[in-house]
Amino acid sequence: MKKKFWLFPLLACILMLTGCGKSLSDQSVLNNAKQANTIVWGVKGDVKLFGLIDVKDGQQKGFDVDMAKHITKHILGPQGKAEFVTTTSQSRIPLLKNGNVDAVIATMSITPERKKIISFSKSYFDAGQSLLVPKDSSIKSTKDLNGKTVIGVVGANSVENIKKVAPRAKVIELQDYAQAMNALKSHQGDALTTDNGILFGLAVQNPGYEVRGGTFTVEPYGVAVNKGQTSFTEAVDKAVLEMQHDGEYNRLIKKWFGDVPGFKYKELYRR
Amino acid sequence: MINIFSKFSSQLFVGLGWTILSSVIALFFSLIIGTIFAIMEVVPSKVMRVIGHAYVEIMRNIPLLVITMFFYLVIPMYVVKINGFTAGTIGLTLYTSAFIAETIRSGIQSVSGGQMEGARSTGMTYWQAMRYIILPQAFKIVIPPLGNQFVNLVKNSSVLAFVAGFDLMYQANSIASTTFDTINSYLVVGVLYLIVTLPISYYMRHLEKKLG
Amino acid sequence: MQNWVNAFSWLNVRFLLMGLWVTIYISVISVILSFIIGSILGIIRYSKIKYVSAIVGFVIDIIRNIPLLLIIFFTYFGLPNFGLRPETIPAAIIAMTVFESCMIAEIVRSGIQSVSIGQMEGARSTGMSFVQALWHVVLPQAYKNMIPTIISQFVSLIKDTSLATIIVVPEMMQHAQVIYGQNANYILPMFAALAVLYFAVCFTLSIVGSMIGKHLS
């Protein structure tokens, strides 16, 4: 990364010359990845347990990132390289559509609206939307949200969901989960809503806050690719299935979610 | 583009309303605060001058985003709850006040030379001379560029999007992520920003030509 | 107090300084590029070349009158439509350069105009061509007057790089957010650090600017 941006002016020129005219939908992402022996993944950088930037080395770390690394090896072989681009809930779809990344594995729920413009693999993780509140909060479930302020993140479908479940709640959208969590701590809202896995990650970092009310939606996370890249989604599905059979999948679940208090990680095991 | 505009026009106009409201409030208060600190920068008292100078330099050399986020995330954690719109408007006010203070200060200094002594010799106190002789002339220099300050405020108010201030940029983010039509969503709000800023900019340039 | 000690652990400080380095890197390249491009655009706009100056002027006005955030979005999400797919840092550099070039162009145009009124005719009457008069007589004086304004525009550029955090550019604001994202107790120390570091960089440049200004006048 660091070395690369020295080359930027040159790179820009080359990209300008070579990039023009290529239509993304005509190219097979899978073939390109095999040729380059690299898959470029869009991952999160602000979500503990799934994709969080580590201050030690500036790398993204989490379940999604490990999944991406393993899937890459399954598709390209042991020498295959996985590259990572940090995305946010807001930027992941534009970056995918624009071809900045080959695939997105970033706590992204498979939804009918999204399926209209991009394709998904089969679900690789089953989350559900829930609420994070201070331990002394009176909010027990989504029923108590009317008239309250709920914090969400720009680009997350949890914002749309909460508007349906609690139409009289006021919803504010922040840029990422770090801002959202701090806004909750600053009493800018009464609850933070998103998928339970993300919320448990935040609860681990922030004693005094807990996940409440169980899940009120089903959020199957999928690997997203551009429309028409069925060879890639099939390869991902096959890789995930292989990982489930040889226990890799469960080891990753245990690695990331085994120590999370209150999270029944064994329910996520797949065989 | 047209589709997005017609489908989300009410949301967009609400955003535009908050953007303009925030900019107007910030312009009003930054003019007051800017004037106060400009005077502090030129009074004989050294302590006041240092304070005035320190304020201006601090606000001029720290990013608006840092100031705004500070009021949104940090102040509520330790002092008092401030919502996104207010935090953003406070940030804009403090940031802009430093630039206005600089303009007014140079306005004061460009007129004050002999005028202050002249006024004092007629028996006026320092503050009377400042109030009736110096400041009116300083404002004459400062008022025309205020239009440009307002344009800057409208543009800068987009930081409200970082703190859920419901402004135009916040609505754009929200529309872009529900329609997945990123570029067109931002093009629409770009046009809306221009509808506000461009006429003011052109009018200010016309004014400058006429005066200069 | 313990929060402050923990917040400024070596790892966090190093991470923050890595962000500062990216901030400076983006700023320096954008300053150089926008000074050159902005000067060219400003001169074109002043020169009243048929059609060209008017079009350049219109584009400059458009860009000067929309928020920088929009330009960042257009660069990062829009350029790929034209086959250019910049990473975050180059995207930030392009966005800053486009925006600041237009700001500088306007400064240069009005700077030239303010000295040129008498000077241009004087120089032309001695037999110089328009370009000669511009290059040898008008521009040197214009730039002398413009330096303080240009420097304060560059201070704005450095401050504005913080907006690039929205596309996850690994600059100082983004890195501070990552650090206080892991522990909300670090938020006050991180904002203090941001204020001090941005102030240090910008104020240094301001001082240099006013020194150059004094030296020239």
Side-chain angles (χ1 to χ4, degrees):
Chain A
M1 185 75 180
K2 217 180 212 170
K3 270 178 205 145
K4 246 189 230 158
F5 60 71
W6 286 108
L7 292 169
F8 151 68
L10 188 74
L11 212 76
C13 296
I14 295 170
L15 267 173
M16 257 220 264
L17 293 171
T18 58
C20 294
K22 271 192 200 169
S23 169
L24 285 172
S25 52
D26 299 340
Q27 302 168 39
S28 162
V29 168
L30 185 62
N31 286 347
N32 284 357
K34 278 180 177 161
Q35 252 166 26
N37 202 30
T38 306
I39 298 176
V40 182
W41 296 90
V43 294
K44 283 284 183 71
D46 58 331
V47 182
K48 195 174 163 71
L49 303 179
F50 288 92
L52 183 73
I53 291 174
D54 187 346
V55 295
K56 278 197 197 85
D57 49 16
Q59 302 291 314
Q60 306 87 344
K61 286 175 190 165
F63 177 72
D64 278 349
V65 179
D66 279 358
M67 279 299 283
K69 284 177 184 160
H70 280 83
I71 293 172
T72 307
K73 302 276 181 224
H74 277 268
I75 294 178
L76 299 178
Q79 301 298 321
K81 282 194 289 288
E83 268 183 27
F84 296 102
V85 173
T86 310
T87 65
T88 62
S89 297
Q90 189 186 6
S91 72
R92 57 193 172 187
I93 290 180
L95 290 183
L96 181 65
K97 282 176 75 181
N98 286 338
N100 294 51
V101 296
D102 295 328
V104 167
I105 181 162
T107 65
M108 193 163 173
S109 311
I110 304 168
T111 68
E113 292 82 22
R114 286 178 183 153
K115 269 185 154 173
K116 283 178 197 153
I117 52 151
I118 50 176
S119 294
F120 283 99
S121 71
K122 291 198 178 104
S123 159
Y124 69 90
F125 184 91
D126 293 311
Q129 191 170 342
S130 195
L131 299 171
L132 183 75
V133 294
K135 277 183 177 151
D136 57 9
S137 169
S138 62
I139 296 169
K140 299 271 183 295
S141 74
T142 51
K143 289 192 194 79
D144 307 320
L145 286 179
N146 284 333
K148 296 274 201 305
T149 303
V150 186
I151 300 169
V153 167
V154 179
N157 60 315
S158 45
V159 174
E160 299 301 314
N161 290 340
I162 202 74
K163 284 176 186 160
K164 281 173 210 152
V165 177
R168 282 190 290 139
K170 193 177 164 211
V171 181
I172 57 175
E173 299 171 50
L174 290 167
Q175 284 301 322
D176 61 35
Y177 288 103
Q179 312 310 327
M181 185 64 220
N182 279 302
L184 182 66
K185 284 206 153 179
S186 300
H187 312 292
Q188 298 291 359
D190 305 295
L192 196 165
T193 189
T194 185
D195 304 332
N196 54 351
I198 302 174
L199 293 180
F200 276 109
L202 291 171
V204 170
Q205 288 170 303
N206 297 282
Y209 291 81
E210 63 186 15
V211 184
R212 281 254 179 100
T215 57
F216 56 90
T217 64
V218 181
E219 305 290 336
Y221 287 171
V223 173
V225 290
N226 268 309
K227 269 251 176 265
Q229 301 291 347
T230 36
S231 58
F232 195 93
T233 49
E234 278 161 11
V236 170
D237 288 340
K238 187 166 157 269
V240 174
L241 215 60
E242 285 168 9
M243 286 176 66
Q244 291 176 13
H245 284 313
D246 56 22
E248 269 173 84
Y249 181 86
N250 289 355
R251 277 198 295 279
L252 287 184
I253 291 280
K254 185 153 193 297
K255 175 184 172 189
W256 288 104
F257 304 101
D259 301 328
V260 180
F263 194 68
K264 297 180 185 109
Y265 69 95
K266 285 192 175 156
E267 288 178 4
L268 294 167
Y269 275 178
R270 289 180 179 187
R271 260 167 258 289
Chain B
M1 239 182 103
I2 312 263
N3 284 341
I4 286 179
F5 180 75
S6 51
K7 197 169 166 200
F8 294 95
S9 56
S10 62
Q11 196 181 341
L12 286 165
F13 282 121
V14 166
L16 190 61
W18 287 113
T19 290
I20 292 174
L21 184 64
S22 171
S23 308
V24 170
I25 296 174
L27 186 68
F28 178 75
F29 284 106
S30 59
L31 196 56
I32 295 175
I33 297 172
T35 310
I36 293 171
F37 280 98
I39 296 173
M40 282 175 76
E41 280 191 285
V42 296
V43 294
S45 154
K46 192 166 182 216
V47 182
M48 297 277 261
R49 279 210 309 270
V50 169
I51 296 173
H53 219 67
Y55 174 83
V56 170
E57 289 301 342
I58 288 172
M59 289 302 164
R60 279 210 313 173
N61 288 300
I62 294 177
L64 172 60
L65 182 59
V66 174
I67 302 173
T68 303
M69 296 285 265
F70 179 80
F71 278 95
Y72 187 67
L73 293 179
V74 184
I75 295 285
M77 214 174 270
Y78 297 96
V79 191
V80 63
K81 198 199 149 175
I82 305 172
N83 69 28
F85 177 79
T86 315
T89 309
I90 293 174
L92 281 171
T93 304
L94 298 182
Y95 185 77
T96 312
S97 69
F99 290 91
I100 291 189
E102 274 305 276
T103 337
I104 297 185
R105 180 190 57 82
S106 63
I108 294 175
Q109 279 169 343
S110 70
V111 291
S112 82
Q115 305 233 7
M116 179 57 101
E117 280 107 65
R120 294 294 294 276
S121 68
T122 68
M124 281 187 176
T125 66
Y126 180 86
W127 292 109
Q128 280 172 333
M130 183 62 96
R131 163 80 182 74
Y132 295 104
I133 309 292
I134 310 291
L135 276 184
Q137 295 183 65
F139 275 123
K140 245 180 223 156
I141 303 171
V142 174
I143 296 295
L146 278 184
N148 291 329
Q149 279 305 343
F150 185 72
V151 170
N152 284 337
L153 270 169
V154 172
K155 289 194 297 172
N156 287 338
S157 69
S158 54
V159 292
L160 263 71
F162 284 90
V163 293
F166 306 115
D167 71 311
L168 202 46
M169 189 64 76
Y170 177 81
Q171 310 296 350
N173 289 339
S174 157
I175 293 169
S177 52
T178 42
T179 60
F180 306 116
D181 192 350
T182 319
I183 291 305
N184 281 323
S185 307
Y186 290 122
L187 278 177
V188 168
V189 301
V191 171
L192 287 175
Y193 275 109
L194 284 176
I195 289 174
V196 178
T197 54
L198 212 50
I200 303 176
S201 285
Y202 279 138
Y203 182 67
M204 290 330 281
R205 188 178 298 154
H206 169 77
L207 220 60
E208 275 161 26
K209 249 186 211 155
K210 226 166 94 180
L211 295 172
Chain C
M1 200 59 222
Q2 193 56 38
N3 285 336
W4 287 71
V5 175
N6 292 343
F8 293 117
S9 68
W10 166 234
L11 277 178
N12 287 353
V13 169
R14 196 187 61 169
F15 194 62
L16 203 60
L17 291 179
M18 275 159 57
L20 177 62
W21 158 240
V22 173
T23 294
I24 292 175
Y25 175 82
I26 292 173
S27 303
V28 168
I29 296 193
S30 310
V31 160
I32 295 169
L33 290 177
S34 57
F35 183 74
I36 298 167
I37 299 171
S39 297
I40 295 169
L41 292 179
I43 293 169
I44 291 178
R45 200 174 182 186
Y46 164 76
S47 308
K48 308 222 162 54
I49 307 165
K50 217 177 181 184
Y51 304 123
V52 177
S53 296
I55 293 168
V56 167
F58 184 67
V59 172
I60 291 174
D61 285 338
I62 298 283
I63 291 174
R64 274 165 40 85
N65 282 291
I66 58 175
L68 175 57
L69 266 182
L70 274 183
I71 297 167
I72 294 174
F73 284 137
F74 286 138
T75 312
Y76 195 47
F77 298 139
L79 276 186
N81 293 330
F82 302 96
L84 189 64
R85 245 167 258 130
E87 283 180 29
T88 53
I89 291 174
I93 292 174
I94 296 171
M96 302 308 294
T97 303
V98 167
F99 185 71
E100 299 297 339
S101 295
C102 294
M103 302 305 264
I104 298 288
E106 181 61 18
I107 296 172
V108 169
R109 182 197 62 86
S110 66
I112 299 175
Q113 229 145 38
S114 68
V115 294
S116 77
I117 297 162
Q119 303 278 350
M120 191 52 134
E121 282 102 63
R124 292 296 293 275
S125 67
T126 67
M128 283 185 181
S129 72
F130 178 81
V131 175
Q132 281 175 325
L134 195 65
W135 186 255
H136 293 292
V137 180
V138 176
L139 282 186
Q141 293 182 56
Y143 271 92
K144 213 187 250 181
N145 299 339
M146 275 186 272
I147 292 290
T149 323
I150 289 181
I151 298 270
S152 76
Q153 189 58 46
F154 287 149
V155 172
S156 292
L157 190 156
I158 298 173
K159 288 185 293 178
D160 287 345
T161 55
S162 60
L163 294 174
T165 182
I166 202 151
I167 55 166
V168 209
V169 175
E171 46 73 58
M172 185 155 66
M173 185 80 199
Q174 170 65 26
H175 277 195
Q177 288 173 338
V178 169
I179 294 169
Y180 70 70
Q182 31 161 341
N183 188 332
N185 292 325
Y186 298 167
I187 194 164
L188 188 56
M190 277 310 119
F191 272 88
L194 281 175
V196 168
L197 290 173
Y198 275 115
F199 183 84
V201 175
C202 295
F203 192 60
T204 312
L205 185 57
S206 301
I207 300 252
V208 171
S210 62
M211 265 161 54
I212 296 173
K214 273 195 192 113
H215 181 75
L216 288 174
S217 61

